[in-house]
Amino acid sequence: MAGFKVLSDAEIEQELAALPGWERQGETISRTYPIRYHAAVAAIVTIADRSRRIRHHADLDLRMDHLRASITTHDAGHRITPADFDLARRIDAIMAAHQAIPLD
C-alpha cells in the first residue's frame, strides 16, 4: 500500500457528496450511466485511453442500455483512495461528452 493514501469513511462520504450518482459498495465506488450501446462503446475507448495515461483504471460493465463503472485502487489492497475520485470525475466528463453526441 506504499504511496497510496487510503481514505477514511468520513473522507469517502465527503467525496461522494460531491459526485452525484456515485455510490459506495464496500471498498469500491460505482455509478451506472444510462446510455445507448454504441455511444457507450465509444466512451469506453476514451475511458481506456485516459486510464492508461493516468495509470489507474475502472472496471467497466457494458450492457445494451447502460454502462457501469466501478473503481477501487488495486495497488492499495483494493481500498478507496483519492485516485478513485479523480478517475470518477474524469469518467463523468467523458460520459457527459459521449451522451451529448447525437447518433441518429
Side-chain angles (χ1 to χ4, degrees):
M1 279 195 259
F4 293 97
K5 177 192 184 304
V6 175
L7 297 176
S8 69
D9 290 339
E11 290 170 319
I12 292 168
E13 291 306 315
Q14 182 178 3
E15 290 281 355
L16 284 172
L19 284 172
W22 286 88
E23 59 185 26
R24 182 178 186 180
Q25 295 180 325
E27 290 301 323
T28 301
I29 59 170
S30 63
R31 180 173 180 184
T32 300
Y33 300 90
I35 186 170
R36 292 173 48 197
Y37 186 83
H38 289 90
V41 170
I44 288 170
V45 171
T46 306
I47 292 167
D49 180 59
R50 294 309 186 290
S51 296
R52 178 187 55 80
R53 291 179 187 194
I54 64 171
R55 296 185 176 159
H56 192 49
H57 71 278
D59 293 325
L60 302 172
D61 180 22
L62 174 61
R63 302 301 165 141
M64 192 61 176
D65 62 352
H66 69 273
L67 176 68
R68 183 167 185 78
S70 299
I71 310 170
T72 189
T73 301
H74 301 99
D75 292 339
H78 298 271
R79 304 285 304 276
I80 299 173
T81 70
D84 301 321
F85 290 99
D86 174 61
L87 181 55
R89 285 186 285 279
R90 292 171 188 261
I91 292 172
D92 278 350
I94 291 165
M95 294 303 293
H98 281 83
Q99 289 179 349
I101 300 170
L103 298 176
D104 293 341

